[in-house]
């Protein structure tokens, strides 16, 4: 039975008016919605004798200046047996010198602590450094929302890299929309609207934006600058509304009071989203770079707004690559010029909006909640024994939960012509200059017959025939090899392809021979497989052996009386076992001295061959090697991290993290589900889900690689960004992985039929 986790969030909470309160409340709700087996609570900091009507999610409050209440809160959390505490740290929200009172709570806790750092100071005072270092030392993990935060933690505070996690600021899940409807609703119809929202304080640079308005009005006389937000409560307590009044006077002195609207309100989320929706440009004219995170920036970016900002840390990272516009600090001329340019150029403004919206999909609160819960699980779980699979932050019960994408083939179809499937794409446009290859057309045939075996919506039969025709044409009877590369002019560029491409083609043919709904194509596939199989006997590539074994699994089930095929299957399985016996050590149970591409296909093929021949030693070696591979492909926070191509072939070294390729995730899904059929351990289902989630954003960059509406898939993850090209190999990897995972979701914990087991090798 899945254990219920109790998670406490210590920080501010709505209805207190501050960014930390909004963040804590949103994060608690996001985590609570992630799983039915999670109980959440907030321990709220209450400031300066204030009284708030807290919601039910707040189980306890602490008067920020009362040290005894911090101690009492620690006793409460321990007595209620919370599994983990997530602290929201900002120096100004806790009592004592530089917030030192919070140490009285943290030091008494009996459960792990994960701390979200909303500020990381580049030049702390000695007192700030002492408090901060103590908090970091107590914390099992610290979370930052900007890469600059990671750098400062390492450079200024000597925090180990493995203790730091990056999770972007969460955003609401809102559809991309035009501003007109919201403008009408809020009374700004027919105006060009610039917006800034958030609690007013002098560091926000509102005066710079006011000074920029005359420049903007020269090009857009209809422009209006809306300043939405109450004055910061701390400022009100010390100075009243002096700052707001100075801003109003500034606009009047410039004669633009009709074009600057101050709305002294702290609005609820629906109202806030209406205001963001109505703006044409969002402005954050902060006055210095030391702004680690900005919830206002994240929300506007996530709603697909054209943002013009000064280059503070968070903005510099979020608005890179054309997702926004950066201007110098304090330069009203520059900010006015850039905003005026956007308001007079619909194409440029809308291009920025689309880029921002697309780039922000991995930042939704749902995704943020999942990442935090995964991190919590990784911290809570006990240390991993040697050879075991590390915690992945996802329970097997999640297999039946919502969130498994539907299969979409629009992009795959756009990559095909009357010859077959194009090999590469420039972004999402098929690249004719690189033509076609049998590797991808064989994979496409494999996808088609896997869909047939799975009971899913099938590809058009004419398309399956086209892929089969390409494979047939690739066969070179004189060389007894499949050719691989074909130019756009339909001329073959070689007489024979690689061992791996030959093996992959046999894999597709073997599965076609078993699972195609067309008896004529089944016979065609079996006959061509039998003709091409003898060539593979002399192959030296372990992956070619594995691909051929995957094909033999289907072919031998379709042609049970082919003794020669069964003999070759035994030969290849024995070769993999010989490699394993020669190279594997207790600490490194693997087939080779290094890791390369399609790694999981090796244990998958050995498990399938062992099942077919009823050889427990083969099955055991396959499961042992796959378990070890999963430890190499699981990040400390529990998300999938495939072996990066930068380290392919490195001997005896840990795998490189980048570049990450979709074929590794697809191979892992297949292998884990094959392992599940072999021994029915829920870890394999959980690991398969982890690999699938890599496609949708649970990865090192927290960036979705797929467009679930079209079925397209980016070609991988670089160190700082995804590869925006979407070639055939990548989209087929995603679709093959998805169809297999969907099959296991439908079948639940029931044993597979024989045909399901054979189709699982696809």
């Amino acid at each position: 039975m899945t254990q219920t986790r109790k998670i406490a969030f210590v920080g501010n909470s709505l209805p207190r008016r501050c960014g930390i309160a909004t963040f804590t409340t949103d994060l608690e709700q996001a985590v609570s919605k992630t799983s039915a087996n999670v109980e959440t609570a907030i321990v709220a900091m209450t400031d300066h004798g204030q009284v708030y009507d807290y919601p039910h999610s707040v189980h306890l409050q602490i008067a920020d200046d009362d040290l005894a209440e911090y101690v009492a809160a620690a006793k409460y959390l321990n007595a209620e047996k919370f599994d983990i505490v997530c602290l929201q740290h900002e120096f100004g929200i806790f009592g004592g010198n530089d917030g030192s009172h919070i140490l009285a709570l943290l030091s008494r806790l009996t459960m792990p602590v994960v701390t979200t750092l909303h500020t990381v100071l580049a030049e702390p005072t000695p007192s700030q450094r002492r408090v901060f270092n103590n908090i970091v030392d107590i914390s099992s993990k610290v979370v930052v929302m900007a890469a600059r935060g990671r750098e400062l933690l390492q450079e200024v505070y000597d925090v180990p890299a493995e203790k730091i996690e990056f999770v972007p600021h969460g955003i609401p899940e809102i559809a991309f929309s035009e501003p007109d409807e919201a403008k009408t609703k809020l009374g700004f119809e027919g105006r060009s609207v610039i917006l800034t929202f958030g609690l007013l304080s002098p560091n926000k640079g509102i005066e710079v934006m006011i000074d920029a308005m005359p420049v903007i009005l020269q090009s857009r006389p209809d422009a209006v600058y809306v300043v939405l937000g109450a004055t910061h409560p701390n400022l009100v307590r010390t100075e009243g509304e002096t700052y707001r009044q100075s801003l109003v006077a500034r606009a009047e002195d410039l004669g633009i009071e009709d074009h600057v609207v101050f709305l002294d309100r702290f609005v609820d989320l629906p109202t806030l989203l209406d205001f963001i929706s109505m703006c044409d440009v969002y402005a954050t004219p902060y006055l210095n770079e030391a702004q680690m995170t900005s919830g206002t920036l994240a929300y506007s970016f996530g709603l697909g707004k054209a943002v013009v900002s000064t280059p503070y840390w968070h903005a510099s990272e979020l608005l890179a690559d054309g997702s926004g516009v950066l201007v110098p600090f304090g330069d009203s001329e520059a900010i006015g010029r850039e905003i005026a340019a956007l308001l007079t150029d619909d194409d440029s403004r809308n291009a920025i909006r689309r880029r921002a919206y697309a780039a922000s999909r991995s930042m939704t609160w749902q995704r943020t909640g999942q990442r935090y819960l995964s991190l919590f699980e990784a911290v809570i779980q006990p240390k991993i024994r040697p050879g075991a699979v590390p915690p992945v932050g996802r329970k097997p019960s999640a297999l039946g939960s919502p969130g498994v994408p539907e299969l979409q083939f629009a992009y795959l179809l756009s990559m095909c012509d009357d010859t077959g499937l194009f090999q590469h794409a420039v972004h999402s446009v098929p690249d004719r200059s690189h033509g076609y290859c049998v590797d991808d057309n064989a994979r496409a045939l494999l996808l088609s017959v896997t869909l047939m075996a799975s009971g899913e919506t099938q590809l058009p039969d004419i398309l399956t025939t086209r892929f089969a025709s390409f494979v047939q044409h690739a066969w070179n009877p004189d060389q007894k090899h499949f050719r691989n590369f074909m130019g756009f002019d339909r001329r073959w560029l070689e007489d024979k392809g690689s061992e791996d491409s030959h093996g992959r083609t046999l894999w597709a043919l073997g599965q076609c021979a078993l699972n195609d709904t067309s008896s004529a194509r089944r016979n065609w596939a079996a006959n061509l497989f039998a003709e091409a199989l003898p060539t593979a006997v002399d192959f030296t590539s372990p992956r070619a052996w594995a691909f051929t074994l995957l094909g033999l699994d289907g072919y031998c089930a379709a042609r049970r009386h082919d003794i020669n095929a069964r003999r070759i299957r035994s030969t290849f399985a024995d070769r993999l076992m010989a490699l394993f016996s020669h190279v594997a050590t207790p600490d490194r149970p693997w087939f080779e001295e290094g890791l390369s591409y399609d790694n999981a296909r090796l244990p998958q093929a050995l498990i399938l061959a062992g099942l077919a021949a009823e050889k427990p030693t083969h099955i055991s070696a396959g499961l042992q090697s796959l378990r070890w591979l999963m430890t190499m492909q699981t990040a400390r926070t529990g998300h999938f991290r495939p072996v990066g191509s930068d380290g392919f072939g490195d001997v005896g070294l840990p795998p490189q993290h980048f570049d990450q390729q979709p074929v590794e995730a697809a191979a892992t899904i297949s292998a884990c589900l094959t392992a599940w059929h072999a021994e029915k351990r829920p870890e394999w289902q959980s690991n398969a889900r982890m690999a699938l989630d890599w496609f949708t954003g649970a990865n090192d960059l927290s960036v979705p690689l797929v467009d679930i509406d079209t079925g397209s898939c980016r070609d991988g993850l670089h160190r700082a960004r995804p590869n925006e090209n979407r070639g055939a190999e990548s989209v087929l990897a995603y679709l093959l992985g998805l169809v297999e995972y969907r099959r296991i979701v439908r079948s639940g914990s029931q044993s597979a039929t024989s045909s399901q087991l054979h189709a699982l090798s696809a």
Side-chain angles (χ1 to χ4, degrees):
M1 185 175 180
T2 302
Q3 181 179 355
T4 297
R5 296 298 190 191
K6 296 182 67 177
I7 302 168
F9 297 87
V10 177
N12 299 348
S13 173
L14 294 175
R16 181 174 173 175
R17 296 182 173 186
C18 75
I20 302 295
T22 302
F23 184 92
T24 306
T25 303
D26 286 342
L27 179 59
E28 180 271 332
Q29 292 177 354
V31 172
S32 69
K33 294 175 182 177
T34 299
S35 170
N37 299 302
V38 169
E39 294 180 10
T40 58
I42 294 176
V43 175
M45 304 304 305
T46 300
D47 57 323
H48 307 289
Q50 300 296 308
V51 177
Y52 300 105
D53 184 16
Y54 286 122
H56 294 301
S57 56
V58 175
H59 289 205
L60 188 71
Q61 58 178 304
I62 300 173
D64 62 0
D65 58 353
D66 190 336
L67 187 61
E69 293 197 8
Y70 290 85
V71 176
K75 291 181 179 178
Y76 166 79
L77 293 168
N78 292 335
E80 293 296 316
K81 294 182 168 54
F82 280 89
D83 293 293
I84 200 162
V85 166
C86 183
L87 174 71
Q88 306 305 305
H89 181 262
E90 179 70 78
F91 282 103
I93 68 174
F94 305 112
N97 291 331
D98 295 310
S100 60
H101 281 4
I102 192 61
L103 297 175
L105 187 158
L106 298 178
S107 62
R108 289 170 167 81
L109 295 177
T110 58
M111 73 289 295
V113 175
V114 171
T115 298
T116 304
L117 301 172
H118 291 262
T119 296
V120 182
L121 298 175
E123 298 179 356
T125 66
S127 175
Q128 289 170 335
R129 182 186 290 274
R130 180 186 63 80
V131 173
F132 191 84
N133 284 343
N134 279 326
I135 292 171
V136 172
D137 288 344
I138 292 170
S139 303
S140 297
K141 292 280 188 178
V142 290
V143 178
V144 293
M145 290 176 270
R148 180 58 177 156
R150 185 197 301 272
E151 294 171 2
L152 289 174
L153 287 175
Q154 295 179 266
E155 296 169 2
V156 179
Y157 301 92
D158 295 323
V159 180
E162 60 269 18
K163 196 168 190 172
I164 307 168
E165 299 297 330
F166 170 75
V167 181
H169 195 296
I171 60 172
E173 178 65 89
I174 300 294
F176 186 84
S177 63
E178 298 303 323
D180 296 342
E181 182 178 346
K183 285 182 182 181
T184 300
K185 180 178 180 180
L186 296 171
F188 290 90
E189 186 176 10
R191 306 294 296 272
S192 295
V193 179
I194 308 147
L195 175 70
T196 296
F197 76 88
L199 295 174
L200 284 192
S201 60
N203 66 321
K204 298 295 178 67
I206 305 300
E207 59 272 22
V208 178
M209 187 58 228
I210 292 174
D211 290 347
M213 283 303 294
V215 177
I216 297 169
L217 291 170
Q218 291 175 14
S219 302
R220 293 301 310 224
D222 64 335
V224 59
Y225 178 39
V226 178
V227 184
L228 172 65
T231 305
H232 198 290
N234 293 344
L235 195 62
V236 171
R237 277 190 288 269
T238 59
E239 300 180 14
E241 291 290 352
T242 302
Y243 178 60
R244 179 183 296 275
Q245 291 165 2
S246 72
L247 295 175
V248 173
R250 195 182 197 103
E252 291 174 348
D253 290 343
L254 291 171
I256 57 170
E257 62 271 21
D258 292 338
H259 297 273
V260 181
V261 176
F262 292 93
L263 299 174
D264 186 5
R265 302 163 59 187
F266 189 87
V267 298
D268 59 17
L269 181 60
T271 304
L272 172 60
L273 297 180
D274 281 342
F275 272 97
I276 301 175
S277 296
M278 80 154 179
C279 78
D280 298 290
V281 173
Y282 184 78
T284 55
Y286 294 172
L287 296 180
N288 63 74
E289 67 176 1
Q291 179 80 24
M292 190 61 64
T293 57
S294 169
T296 64
L297 172 66
Y299 274 36
S300 301
F301 183 77
L303 266 68
K305 292 299 160 181
V307 178
V308 177
S309 175
T310 51
Y312 56 92
W313 289 329
H314 194 192
S316 294
E317 295 178 21
L318 201 60
L319 304 182
D321 300 324
S323 296
V325 178
L326 297 174
V327 297
F329 292 107
D331 192 334
S332 57
E333 286 289 331
I335 196 169
R337 187 170 57 250
E338 293 294 344
I339 292 177
L342 289 175
L343 292 179
T344 55
D345 187 341
D346 293 347
D347 290 342
S348 295
R349 187 177 69 255
N350 289 327
I352 290 176
R353 292 182 61 214
R354 287 191 292 269
R355 281 194 292 270
Y357 188 80
S360 65
R361 293 309 85 203
S362 63
M363 295 166 54
T364 62
W365 277 115
Q366 178 186 16
R367 178 66 69 193
T368 301
Q370 291 169 347
R371 287 180 65 87
Y372 267 91
L373 186 58
S374 176
L375 174 57
F376 296 156
E377 284 292 334
V379 169
I380 293 168
Q381 292 283 4
K383 292 183 179 180
I384 308 303
R385 65 184 185 277
V389 177
V392 298
R394 183 179 292 279
K395 298 299 181 183
S397 61
L399 285 167
S401 67
V404 180
E406 294 296 319
L407 285 157
Q408 301 291 345
F409 304 119
Y411 183 74
L412 178 67
L413 296 177
S414 76
M415 286 286 289
C416 298
D417 67 0
D418 59 352
T419 299
L421 179 64
F422 286 111
Q423 185 177 185
H424 293 299
V426 179
H427 287 233
S428 60
V429 177
D431 183 1
R432 297 182 179 185
S433 65
H434 285 91
Y436 320 83
C437 67
V438 76
D439 258 336
D440 292 333
N441 281 273
R443 286 187 180 105
L445 177 61
L446 182 62
L447 171 64
S448 185
V449 298
T450 303
L451 290 166
M452 297 175 191
S454 304
E456 296 276 8
T457 300
Q458 298 179 23
L459 294 176
D461 190 69
I462 190 172
L463 204 58
T464 306
T465 301
R466 195 170 298 159
F467 300 144
S469 177
F470 192 99
V471 169
Q472 176 62 56
H473 188 42
W475 175 242
N476 186 337
D478 297 330
Q479 296 285 335
K480 299 297 182 183
H481 272 272
F482 290 101
R483 292 167 284 217
N484 192 15
F485 297 112
M486 173 190 280
F488 181 63
D489 59 1
R490 294 189 179 183
R491 289 189 296 180
W492 290 107
L493 305 179
E494 58 192 357
D495 291 330
K496 62 180 183 181
S498 66
E499 292 184 4
D500 284 2
S501 65
H502 193 104
R504 287 194 190 93
T505 308
L506 287 172
W507 173 14
L509 288 169
Q511 292 302 316
C512 184
L514 178 66
N515 292 312
D516 201 307
T517 55
S518 165
S519 60
R521 262 199 314 265
R522 289 199 303 272
N523 288 330
W524 161 79
N527 291 336
L528 184 54
F529 183 98
E531 187 176 359
L533 177 61
T535 301
V537 174
D538 295 327
F539 286 171
T540 59
S541 164
R543 279 158 188 75
W545 303 342
F547 299 146
T548 304
L549 280 170
L550 298 178
L552 280 161
D553 195 67
Y555 175 81
C556 289
R559 295 281 177 95
R560 297 181 181 277
H561 303 298
D562 190 332
I563 298 173
N564 183 57
R566 294 205 304 271
R567 177 184 60 78
I568 293 175
R569 177 168 63 181
S570 179
T571 297
F572 283 161
D574 290 345
R575 289 181 186 177
L576 287 178
M577 276 299 297
L579 277 181
F580 185 79
S581 300
H582 180 69
V583 176
T585 65
D587 295 333
R588 195 179 184 282
W590 192 244
F591 305 86
E592 301 166 309
E593 298 291 348
L595 289 166
S596 187
Y597 58 94
D598 261 333
N599 294 293
R601 298 299 181 188
L602 301 179
Q604 179 190 6
L606 193 56
I607 294 169
L608 281 172
L611 290 170
E614 298 183 352
K615 290 187 175 182
T617 55
H618 289 42
I619 299 171
S620 177
L623 293 171
Q624 184 185 7
S625 58
L626 184 57
R627 278 195 174 90
W628 176 82
L629 179 63
M630 288 309 303
T631 66
M632 296 295 102
Q633 295 189 130
T634 304
R636 290 177 180 271
T637 53
H639 64 267
F640 184 67
R641 177 185 285 157
V643 175
S645 60
D646 288 349
F648 282 1
D650 286 352
V651 175
L653 298 176
Q656 294 290 319
H657 295 169
F658 299 97
D659 290 341
Q660 300 175 15
Q661 306 294 314
V663 290
E664 303 306 318
T668 300
I669 294 170
S670 285
C672 286
L673 298 184
T674 299
W676 180 77
H677 280 285
E679 63 172 5
K680 298 298 187 295
R681 290 183 181 271
E683 70 186 77
W684 299 119
Q685 297 173 322
S686 184
N687 288 339
R689 180 62 194 253
M690 178 177 66
L692 179 67
D693 287 346
W694 177 85
F695 286 105
T696 56
N699 51 52
D700 281 318
L701 301 187
S702 194
V703 172
L705 296 176
V706 298
D707 179 346
I708 61 175
D709 293 327
T710 66
S712 72
C713 179
R714 294 172 173 86
D715 281 348
L717 281 182
H718 298 309
R719 294 181 183 276
R721 61 177 177 82
N723 184 334
E724 290 296 339
N725 297 331
R726 304 167 192 228
E729 178 183 283
S730 301
V731 65
L732 290 168
Y734 166 62
L735 292 173
L736 280 165
L738 178 58
V739 69
E740 292 192 28
Y741 187 80
R742 285 171 58 84
R743 183 191 309 155
I744 210 68
V745 169
R746 289 196 308 273
S747 64
S749 60
Q750 298 178 357
S751 298
T753 65
S754 175
S755 62
Q756 283 177 319
L757 181 57
H758 288 300
L760 197 65
S761 65

